[in-house]
Amino acid sequence: MPRQTAPRPTVAQLAYGSCTVILSTLAMLLLSQTNSGPGVALIALVGLVLGLLVAMTVPRPKPARATSQIVASSSAAPAPRERVPVQASSGQQD
């Protein structure tokens, strides 16, 4: 049985998630004005959760439909073009 792997995150997901973690953590630290270690750790954890949530909700590109592949493969292939040999010229024009 082949092993299925999880889909990799897109560049947009990584960018939005990272920006959310940084900006939300910074905003919460500035607004709460906490100095305690557990408070900072809690805010950092909440920022990570928010970043993960944002990254997972960014829409992914939709995969190609299976029906369009079936239609494309069943359509008639174009006729092959006839090859015409090229005559060698001596470089002089008439």
Side-chain angles (χ1 to χ4, degrees):
M1 179 185 316
R3 213 174 76 182
Q4 291 182 352
T5 60
R8 294 185 179 185
T10 62
V11 175
Q13 287 176 312
L14 291 174
Y16 287 142
S18 299
C19 288
T20 301
V21 169
I22 293 168
L23 295 177
S24 64
T25 303
L26 183 63
M28 286 187 285
L29 284 172
L30 290 173
L31 291 173
S32 69
Q33 297 178 355
T34 186
N35 291 330
S36 67
V40 172
L42 180 65
I43 289 174
L45 182 66
V46 171
L48 286 173
V49 170
L50 281 174
L52 183 62
L53 181 66
V54 167
M56 290 297 130
T57 57
V58 172
R60 289 182 164 271
K62 294 183 180 179
R65 291 176 146 187
T67 56
S68 63
Q69 293 173 352
I70 294 170
V71 171
S73 64
S74 65
S75 63
R81 296 185 346 184
E82 184 178 327
R83 292 187 172 193
V84 179
V86 177
Q87 296 178 355
S89 63
S90 61
Q92 296 176 353
Q93 292 183 338
D94 293 325

Coordinates of all heavy atoms in Angstrom, one line a residue:
M1 N 0.8 -1.2 0.0 CA 0.0 0.0 0.0 C 0.9 1.2 0.0 O 1.8 1.4 0.8 CB -0.9 0.0 1.2 CG -1.8 1.2 1.3 SD -2.8 1.4 2.8 CE -3.5 -0.2 3.1
P2 N 0.7 2.2 -1.0 CA 1.5 3.4 -1.0 C 1.2 4.3 0.2 O 0.1 4.4 0.6 CB 1.2 4.1 -2.3 CG -0.1 3.5 -2.7 CD -0.3 2.2 -2.1
R3 N 2.3 4.9 0.7 CA 2.1 5.9 1.8 C 1.7 7.2 1.3 O 2.2 7.8 0.4 CB 3.5 6.0 2.5 CG 3.4 6.2 4.0 CD 4.7 6.1 4.6 NE 5.4 7.4 4.3 CZ 6.6 7.7 4.6 NH1 7.4 6.8 5.2 NH2 7.1 8.9 4.3
Q4 N 0.7 7.8 2.0 CA 0.2 9.1 1.6 C 0.9 10.1 2.5 O 0.9 9.9 3.7 CB -1.3 9.2 1.8 CG -2.1 8.3 0.7 CD -3.6 8.5 0.9 OE1 -4.1 9.1 1.8 NE2 -4.3 8.0 0.0
T5 N 1.3 11.2 1.9 CA 2.0 12.2 2.6 C 1.0 13.4 2.7 O 0.2 13.6 1.9 CB 3.3 12.7 2.0 OG1 3.0 13.1 0.7 CG2 4.3 11.5 1.9
A6 N 1.2 14.2 3.7 CA 0.4 15.4 3.9 C 0.9 16.4 2.8 O 2.0 16.5 2.5 CB 0.7 16.0 5.3
P7 N -0.1 17.2 2.3 CA 0.3 18.3 1.3 C 1.2 19.3 1.9 O 1.0 19.7 3.1 CB -1.1 18.8 0.9 CG -2.0 18.5 2.0 CD -1.5 17.3 2.6
R8 N 2.1 19.8 1.2 CA 3.0 20.8 1.6 C 2.4 22.1 1.6 O 1.6 22.4 0.7 CB 4.3 20.8 0.8 CG 5.1 19.6 0.9 CD 6.3 19.7 0.1 NE 7.1 18.4 0.2 CZ 8.3 18.3 -0.3 NH1 8.9 19.3 -1.0 NH2 8.9 17.2 -0.1
P9 N 2.7 23.0 2.6 CA 2.1 24.3 2.6 C 2.7 25.2 1.4 O 3.8 25.0 1.0 CB 2.6 24.9 3.9 CG 3.7 24.1 4.3 CD 3.6 22.8 3.7
T10 N 1.8 26.0 0.9 CA 2.2 26.9 -0.2 C 3.0 28.1 0.4 O 3.0 28.3 1.6 CB 1.0 27.4 -0.9 OG1 0.2 28.2 0.0 CG2 0.1 26.3 -1.5
V11 N 3.6 28.9 -0.5 CA 4.3 30.1 -0.1 C 3.4 31.1 0.6 O 3.8 31.7 1.5 CB 5.0 30.7 -1.3 CG1 5.7 32.0 -1.0 CG2 6.0 29.7 -1.9
A12 N 2.2 31.2 0.0 CA 1.3 32.2 0.6 C 0.9 31.7 2.1 O 0.8 32.6 3.0 CB 0.0 32.3 -0.2
Q13 N 0.7 30.5 2.3 CA 0.4 30.0 3.6 C 1.5 30.3 4.6 O 1.3 30.7 5.7 CB 0.1 28.5 3.6 CG -1.3 28.2 3.0 CD -1.5 26.7 2.9 OE1 -0.6 25.9 2.5 NE2 -2.6 26.2 3.3
L14 N 2.8 30.0 4.2 CA 3.9 30.3 5.0 C 4.1 31.8 5.3 O 4.3 32.2 6.5 CB 5.2 29.7 4.4 CG 5.3 28.2 4.3 CD1 6.5 27.8 3.5 CD2 5.3 27.6 5.7
A15 N 3.9 32.6 4.3 CA 4.0 34.0 4.5 C 2.9 34.6 5.4 O 3.3 35.3 6.4 CB 4.0 34.7 3.1
Y16 N 1.7 34.2 5.2 CA 0.6 34.8 6.0 C 0.7 34.3 7.4 O 0.5 35.0 8.4 CB -0.8 34.4 5.4 CG -1.2 35.1 4.2 CD1 -1.8 34.5 3.2 CD2 -0.9 36.5 4.0 CE1 -2.2 35.2 2.0 CE2 -1.2 37.2 2.9 CZ -1.9 36.5 1.9 OH -2.3 37.2 0.8
G17 N 1.0 33.0 7.6 CA 1.2 32.4 8.9 C 2.3 33.1 9.7 O 2.2 33.4 10.9
S18 N 3.5 33.3 9.1 CA 4.6 33.9 9.7 C 4.3 35.3 10.1 O 4.7 35.8 11.2 CB 5.8 33.8 8.8 OG 6.2 32.5 8.5
C19 N 3.7 36.1 9.2 CA 3.4 37.5 9.5 C 2.4 37.6 10.6 O 2.5 38.4 11.5 CB 2.8 38.2 8.3 SG 4.1 38.5 7.0
T20 N 1.4 36.7 10.7 CA 0.5 36.7 11.7 C 1.1 36.4 13.1 O 0.8 37.0 14.1 CB -0.6 35.6 11.5 OG1 -1.3 35.9 10.2 CG2 -1.7 35.6 12.6
V21 N 2.0 35.4 13.1 CA 2.7 35.1 14.4 C 3.5 36.3 14.9 O 3.3 36.7 16.1 CB 3.6 33.9 14.2 CG1 4.5 33.7 15.4 CG2 2.9 32.6 14.0
I22 N 4.2 36.9 14.0 CA 5.1 38.0 14.4 C 4.3 39.2 14.9 O 4.5 39.8 16.0 CB 6.1 38.4 13.3 CG1 7.1 37.3 13.1 CG2 6.8 39.7 13.6 CD1 7.9 37.4 11.8
L23 N 3.3 39.6 14.0 CA 2.6 40.8 14.3 C 1.6 40.7 15.5 O 1.5 41.6 16.3 CB 1.8 41.3 13.0 CG 2.7 41.7 11.9 CD1 1.9 42.1 10.6 CD2 3.6 42.9 12.3
S24 N 0.9 39.5 15.5 CA 0.0 39.4 16.7 C 0.7 39.2 18.0 O 0.3 39.8 19.0 CB -0.9 38.2 16.4 OG -0.2 37.0 16.4
T25 N 1.8 38.6 18.0 CA 2.6 38.4 19.3 C 3.1 39.8 19.7 O 3.0 40.2 20.9 CB 3.8 37.4 19.1 OG1 3.2 36.2 18.7 CG2 4.5 37.3 20.4
L26 N 3.7 40.6 18.8 CA 4.2 41.9 19.1 C 3.0 42.8 19.6 O 3.2 43.5 20.6 CB 4.8 42.5 17.8 CG 5.5 43.9 18.0 CD1 6.6 43.8 19.0 CD2 6.0 44.4 16.7
A27 N 1.9 42.8 18.9 CA 0.8 43.6 19.3 C 0.3 43.2 20.7 O 0.0 44.1 21.6 CB -0.4 43.5 18.3
M28 N 0.1 41.9 21.0 CA -0.3 41.5 22.3 C 0.7 41.8 23.4 O 0.3 42.2 24.5 CB -0.6 40.0 22.3 CG -1.9 39.6 21.5 SD -2.3 37.9 21.7 CE -1.1 37.1 20.6
L29 N 2.0 41.7 23.1 CA 3.0 42.1 24.1 C 2.9 43.6 24.4 O 3.0 44.0 25.6 CB 4.4 41.7 23.6 CG 4.7 40.2 23.7 CD1 6.0 39.9 23.0 CD2 4.7 39.7 25.2
L30 N 2.8 44.4 23.4 CA 2.7 45.8 23.6 C 1.4 46.2 24.3 O 1.5 47.1 25.2 CB 2.8 46.6 22.3 CG 4.2 46.5 21.6 CD1 4.2 47.1 20.2 CD2 5.3 47.2 22.5
L31 N 0.3 45.6 24.0 CA -1.0 46.0 24.6 C -1.1 45.5 26.0 O -1.7 46.2 26.9 CB -2.1 45.5 23.7 CG -2.3 46.2 22.4 CD1 -3.4 45.5 21.6 CD2 -2.6 47.6 22.6
S32 N -0.6 44.3 26.3 CA -0.7 43.8 27.6 C 0.3 44.3 28.6 O 0.1 44.3 29.8 CB -0.6 42.2 27.6 OG 0.8 41.9 27.3
Q33 N 1.4 44.8 28.1 CA 2.5 45.3 28.9 C 3.0 44.3 30.0 O 3.3 44.7 31.2 CB 2.1 46.7 29.5 CG 1.9 47.7 28.5 CD 1.4 49.0 29.1 OE1 1.2 49.1 30.3 NE2 1.3 50.0 28.2
T34 N 3.0 43.1 29.7 CA 3.4 42.1 30.7 C 4.9 41.9 30.8 O 5.6 42.1 29.8 CB 2.7 40.7 30.4 OG1 3.0 39.8 31.4 CG2 3.3 40.1 29.1
N35 N 5.4 41.6 31.9 CA 6.8 41.4 32.2 C 7.1 40.1 32.7 O 8.3 39.7 32.8 CB 7.4 42.5 33.1 CG 7.4 43.9 32.5 OD1 7.5 44.0 31.3 ND2 7.2 44.9 33.3
S36 N 6.1 39.3 33.1 CA 6.3 38.0 33.7 C 6.6 36.9 32.6 O 6.1 37.0 31.5 CB 5.1 37.6 34.5 OG 4.0 37.4 33.7
G37 N 7.4 36.0 33.0 CA 7.7 34.9 32.0 C 6.5 34.1 31.6 O 6.4 33.9 30.4
P38 N 5.7 33.7 32.5 CA 4.5 32.9 32.0 C 3.6 33.7 31.1 O 2.9 33.2 30.2 CB 3.8 32.5 33.4 CG 4.8 32.6 34.4 CD 5.8 33.7 34.0
G39 N 3.5 35.0 31.4 CA 2.6 35.9 30.5 C 3.2 36.0 29.1 O 2.4 35.9 28.1
V40 N 4.5 36.2 29.0 CA 5.1 36.2 27.7 C 5.0 34.9 27.0 O 4.7 34.8 25.8 CB 6.6 36.6 27.8 CG1 7.3 36.5 26.5 CG2 6.7 38.0 28.4
A41 N 5.1 33.8 27.7 CA 5.0 32.4 27.1 C 3.6 32.2 26.6 O 3.4 31.6 25.5 CB 5.4 31.4 28.1
L42 N 2.6 32.6 27.4 CA 1.2 32.5 27.0 C 0.9 33.3 25.7 O 0.3 32.8 24.8 CB 0.3 32.9 28.1 CG -1.2 32.8 27.8 CD1 -1.6 31.3 27.6 CD2 -2.0 33.4 28.9
I43 N 1.4 34.5 25.7 CA 1.2 35.4 24.5 C 1.9 34.8 23.3 O 1.3 34.7 22.2 CB 1.7 36.8 24.8 CG1 0.7 37.5 25.8 CG2 1.8 37.6 23.5 CD1 1.1 38.8 26.2
A44 N 3.1 34.2 23.5 CA 3.8 33.6 22.3 C 3.0 32.4 21.8 O 2.9 32.1 20.6 CB 5.2 33.2 22.8
L45 N 2.5 31.6 22.8 CA 1.7 30.4 22.4 C 0.4 30.8 21.6 O 0.1 30.2 20.6 CB 1.3 29.6 23.6 CG 0.5 28.3 23.4 CD1 1.4 27.3 22.6 CD2 0.1 27.7 24.7
V46 N -0.2 31.8 22.1 CA -1.5 32.3 21.4 C -1.1 32.9 20.0 O -1.8 32.6 19.0 CB -2.2 33.4 22.2 CG1 -3.3 34.1 21.5 CG2 -2.7 32.8 23.5
G47 N 0.1 33.5 19.9 CA 0.5 34.0 18.6 C 0.8 32.9 17.6 O 0.4 32.9 16.4
L48 N 1.4 31.8 18.1 CA 1.6 30.6 17.3 C 0.3 30.0 16.8 O 0.2 29.5 15.7 CB 2.5 29.6 18.0 CG 4.0 30.0 18.1 CD1 4.7 29.0 19.1 CD2 4.6 30.0 16.8
V49 N -0.6 29.9 17.7 CA -1.9 29.3 17.4 C -2.6 30.1 16.3 O -3.2 29.6 15.4 CB -2.8 29.1 18.6 CG1 -4.2 28.7 18.3 CG2 -2.2 28.0 19.5
L50 N -2.6 31.4 16.5 CA -3.2 32.3 15.5 C -2.5 32.2 14.1 O -3.2 32.1 13.1 CB -3.2 33.8 16.0 CG -4.2 34.2 17.0 CD1 -3.9 35.6 17.5 CD2 -5.6 34.1 16.4
G51 N -1.2 32.1 14.1 CA -0.5 31.9 12.9 C -0.8 30.6 12.2 O -1.0 30.6 11.0
L52 N -1.0 29.6 13.0 CA -1.3 28.3 12.4 C -2.8 28.3 11.8 O -3.0 27.8 10.8 CB -1.2 27.2 13.5 CG -1.5 25.8 13.0 CD1 -0.5 25.3 12.0 CD2 -1.5 24.8 14.2
L53 N -3.6 29.0 12.6 CA -5.0 29.1 12.1 C -5.1 29.9 10.8 O -5.8 29.5 9.8 CB -5.9 29.8 13.2 CG -7.3 30.0 12.9 CD1 -8.0 28.6 12.8 CD2 -8.0 30.8 13.9
V54 N -4.4 31.0 10.7 CA -4.4 31.8 9.5 C -3.8 31.0 8.3 O -4.3 31.0 7.2 CB -3.6 33.1 9.7 CG1 -3.3 33.8 8.4 CG2 -4.4 34.0 10.6
A55 N -2.7 30.3 8.6 CA -2.0 29.5 7.5 C -2.9 28.4 7.0 O -2.9 28.1 5.8 CB -0.7 28.9 8.0
M56 N -3.7 27.8 7.8 CA -4.6 26.7 7.4 C -5.8 27.2 6.7 O -6.4 26.4 5.9 CB -5.0 25.8 8.6 CG -3.8 25.0 9.1 SD -3.3 23.9 7.9 CE -1.5 24.2 7.9
T57 N -6.2 28.5 6.9 CA -7.4 29.0 6.3 C -7.1 29.7 4.9 O -8.1 30.0 4.2 CB -8.2 29.9 7.2 OG1 -7.3 31.0 7.6 CG2 -8.7 29.2 8.4
V58 N -5.9 29.9 4.6 CA -5.6 30.5 3.3 C -6.0 29.4 2.2 O -5.6 28.3 2.3 CB -4.1 30.8 3.2 CG1 -3.7 31.2 1.7 CG2 -3.7 31.8 4.1
P59 N -6.8 29.9 1.2 CA -7.2 28.9 0.2 C -6.1 28.3 -0.6 O -5.2 29.0 -1.0 CB -8.2 29.7 -0.6 CG -8.0 31.1 -0.3 CD -7.3 31.2 1.0
R60 N -6.2 27.0 -0.8 CA -5.2 26.3 -1.7 C -5.6 26.4 -3.1 O -6.8 26.5 -3.4 CB -5.1 24.9 -1.3 CG -4.4 24.7 0.1 CD -4.4 23.2 0.3 NE -3.4 22.9 1.4 CZ -2.1 22.7 1.2 NH1 -1.6 22.7 0.0 NH2 -1.3 22.5 2.2
P61 N -4.7 26.3 -4.1 CA -5.1 26.3 -5.5 C -5.8 24.9 -5.7 O -5.4 23.9 -5.2 CB -3.8 26.3 -6.2 CG -2.7 26.2 -5.2 CD -3.3 26.4 -3.9
K62 N -6.9 25.0 -6.5 CA -7.7 23.8 -6.7 C -7.0 22.9 -7.7 O -6.4 23.4 -8.7 CB -9.0 24.2 -7.3 CG -9.9 24.9 -6.2 CD -11.2 25.2 -6.7 CE -12.0 26.0 -5.6 NZ -13.3 26.3 -6.1
P63 N -6.9 21.6 -7.5 CA -6.3 20.7 -8.4 C -7.2 20.6 -9.7 O -8.4 20.9 -9.7 CB -6.3 19.3 -7.7 CG -7.4 19.5 -6.7 CD -7.5 20.9 -6.3
A64 N -6.5 20.2 -10.8 CA -7.2 20.1 -12.1 C -8.3 19.0 -12.0 O -8.1 18.0 -11.3 CB -6.2 19.7 -13.2
R65 N -9.4 19.2 -12.6 CA -10.5 18.3 -12.6 C -10.1 17.0 -13.4 O -9.5 17.1 -14.4 CB -11.7 18.9 -13.2 CG -12.4 20.0 -12.4 CD -13.5 20.5 -13.2 NE -14.6 20.9 -12.3 CZ -15.7 21.3 -12.8 NH1 -16.0 21.3 -14.0 NH2 -16.7 21.7 -11.9
A66 N -10.6 15.9 -12.9 CA -10.4 14.6 -13.6 C -11.2 14.6 -14.9 O -10.8 14.0 -15.8 CB -10.8 13.5 -12.7
T67 N -12.4 15.3 -14.9 CA -13.2 15.2 -16.1 C -12.5 16.0 -17.3 O -12.6 15.5 -18.4 CB -14.6 15.8 -15.9 OG1 -14.4 17.2 -15.4 CG2 -15.3 15.0 -14.9
S68 N -11.8 17.1 -17.0 CA -11.1 17.8 -18.1 C -10.0 17.0 -18.6 O -9.7 17.0 -19.8 CB -10.6 19.1 -17.6 OG -9.6 18.9 -16.6
Q69 N -9.3 16.1 -17.8 CA -8.3 15.3 -18.3 C -8.8 14.2 -19.2 O -8.3 13.8 -20.2 CB -7.5 14.7 -17.2 CG -6.7 15.7 -16.4 CD -6.1 15.1 -15.2 OE1 -6.3 14.0 -14.8 NE2 -5.2 15.9 -14.5
I70 N -10.0 13.7 -18.8 CA -10.6 12.6 -19.6 C -11.1 13.2 -21.0 O -10.9 12.6 -22.0 CB -11.8 12.0 -18.9 CG1 -11.3 11.3 -17.6 CG2 -12.6 11.1 -19.8 CD1 -12.5 10.8 -16.7
V71 N -11.7 14.4 -21.0 CA -12.1 15.0 -22.2 C -10.9 15.3 -23.1 O -10.9 15.0 -24.3 CB -12.9 16.3 -21.9 CG1 -13.2 17.0 -23.2 CG2 -14.2 15.9 -21.2
A72 N -9.8 15.8 -22.5 CA -8.6 16.1 -23.3 C -8.0 14.9 -23.9 O -7.5 14.9 -25.0 CB -7.6 16.8 -22.5
S73 N -8.0 13.8 -23.2 CA -7.4 12.6 -23.7 C -8.2 11.9 -24.7 O -7.7 11.1 -25.6 CB -7.0 11.6 -22.6 OG -8.2 11.2 -22.0
S74 N -9.6 12.1 -24.7 CA -10.4 11.4 -25.6 C -10.6 12.2 -26.9 O -11.2 11.7 -27.9 CB -11.8 11.1 -25.0 OG -12.4 12.3 -24.7
S75 N -10.2 13.4 -26.9 CA -10.4 14.2 -28.1 C -9.4 13.8 -29.2 O -8.4 13.2 -28.9 CB -10.2 15.7 -27.9 OG -8.9 15.9 -27.4
A76 N -9.8 14.0 -30.4 CA -9.0 13.5 -31.6 C -7.7 14.3 -31.6 O -7.6 15.5 -31.4 CB -9.7 13.7 -32.9
A77 N -6.6 13.6 -31.8 CA -5.3 14.2 -31.9 C -5.1 14.9 -33.2 O -5.7 14.4 -34.3 CB -4.2 13.2 -31.7
P78 N -4.5 16.1 -33.3 CA -4.3 16.7 -34.6 C -3.4 15.9 -35.5 O -2.6 15.1 -35.1 CB -3.5 18.0 -34.2 CG -2.9 17.8 -32.9 CD -3.8 16.8 -32.2
A79 N -3.7 16.0 -36.8 CA -3.0 15.2 -37.8 C -1.5 15.7 -37.8 O -1.2 16.9 -37.7 CB -3.6 15.4 -39.2
P80 N -0.6 14.7 -38.0 CA 0.8 15.1 -38.0 C 1.1 15.9 -39.3 O 0.6 15.7 -40.3 CB 1.6 13.8 -38.0 CG 0.6 12.8 -38.4 CD -0.8 13.3 -38.1
R81 N 2.0 16.9 -39.1 CA 2.4 17.7 -40.2 C 3.4 17.0 -41.1 O 4.2 16.3 -40.6 CB 2.9 19.0 -39.8 CG 1.9 19.8 -39.0 CD 2.3 21.2 -38.6 NE 3.7 21.5 -38.7 CZ 4.2 22.7 -38.2 NH1 3.4 23.6 -37.7 NH2 5.5 22.9 -38.3
E82 N 3.3 17.2 -42.4 CA 4.2 16.5 -43.3 C 5.5 17.3 -43.3 O 5.6 18.5 -43.3 CB 3.6 16.6 -44.7 CG 4.4 15.8 -45.8 CD 3.7 15.9 -47.1 OE1 2.5 15.9 -47.1 OE2 4.4 15.9 -48.1
R83 N 6.6 16.5 -43.3 CA 7.9 17.1 -43.3 C 8.4 17.3 -44.7 O 8.3 16.4 -45.6 CB 8.9 16.2 -42.6 CG 8.6 16.1 -41.1 CD 9.7 15.4 -40.4 NE 9.5 15.5 -39.0 CZ 10.4 15.2 -38.1 NH1 11.6 14.7 -38.5 NH2 10.2 15.3 -36.8
V84 N 8.9 18.5 -45.0 CA 9.4 18.8 -46.3 C 10.9 19.1 -46.2 O 11.3 19.9 -45.4 CB 8.6 20.0 -46.9 CG1 9.2 20.4 -48.3 CG2 7.2 19.8 -46.9
P85 N 11.7 18.3 -47.0 CA 13.1 18.6 -46.9 C 13.5 20.0 -47.4 O 12.9 20.5 -48.4 CB 13.8 17.5 -47.7 CG 12.7 17.0 -48.6 CD 11.4 17.3 -47.9
V86 N 14.5 20.6 -46.8 CA 15.0 21.9 -47.2 C 16.1 21.7 -48.2 O 17.1 20.9 -47.9 CB 15.5 22.7 -46.0 CG1 16.0 24.0 -46.4 CG2 14.3 22.8 -45.0
Q87 N 16.1 22.4 -49.3 CA 17.1 22.2 -50.3 C 18.3 23.2 -49.9 O 18.1 24.3 -49.5 CB 16.6 22.6 -51.7 CG 15.5 21.7 -52.2 CD 15.0 22.1 -53.5 OE1 15.4 23.2 -54.1 NE2 14.1 21.3 -54.1
A88 N 19.5 22.6 -50.1 CA 20.7 23.4 -49.8 C 20.9 24.5 -50.9 O 20.7 24.2 -52.1 CB 21.9 22.5 -49.7
S89 N 21.2 25.7 -50.5 CA 21.4 26.8 -51.5 C 22.9 27.1 -51.5 O 23.6 26.9 -50.5 CB 20.5 28.0 -51.1 OG 21.0 28.5 -49.9
S90 N 23.3 27.7 -52.6 CA 24.7 28.0 -52.7 C 25.0 29.4 -52.1 O 26.1 29.9 -52.2 CB 25.2 28.0 -54.2 OG 24.4 28.9 -54.9
G91 N 24.0 30.1 -51.6 CA 24.2 31.4 -51.0 C 24.0 32.5 -52.0 O 24.0 33.7 -51.6
Q92 N 23.7 32.2 -53.3 CA 23.5 33.2 -54.3 C 22.0 33.4 -54.5 O 21.3 32.4 -54.6 CB 24.2 32.9 -55.6 CG 25.7 32.8 -55.5 CD 26.3 32.4 -56.8 OE1 25.6 32.0 -57.7 NE2 27.7 32.4 -56.8
Q93 N 21.6 34.6 -54.7 CA 20.2 34.8 -55.0 C 20.0 35.2 -56.4 O 20.9 35.8 -57.0 CB 19.6 35.9 -54.1 CG 19.5 35.6 -52.6 CD 18.9 36.7 -51.8 OE1 18.9 37.8 -52.2 NE2 18.4 36.3 -50.7
D94 N 18.9 34.7 -57.0 CA 18.7 35.0 -58.4 C 18.0 36.3 -58.6 O 17.3 36.9 -58.0 CB 17.8 33.9 -59.1 CG 18.6 32.6 -59.2 OD1 19.8 32.7 -59.4 OD2 18.0 31.6 -59.0

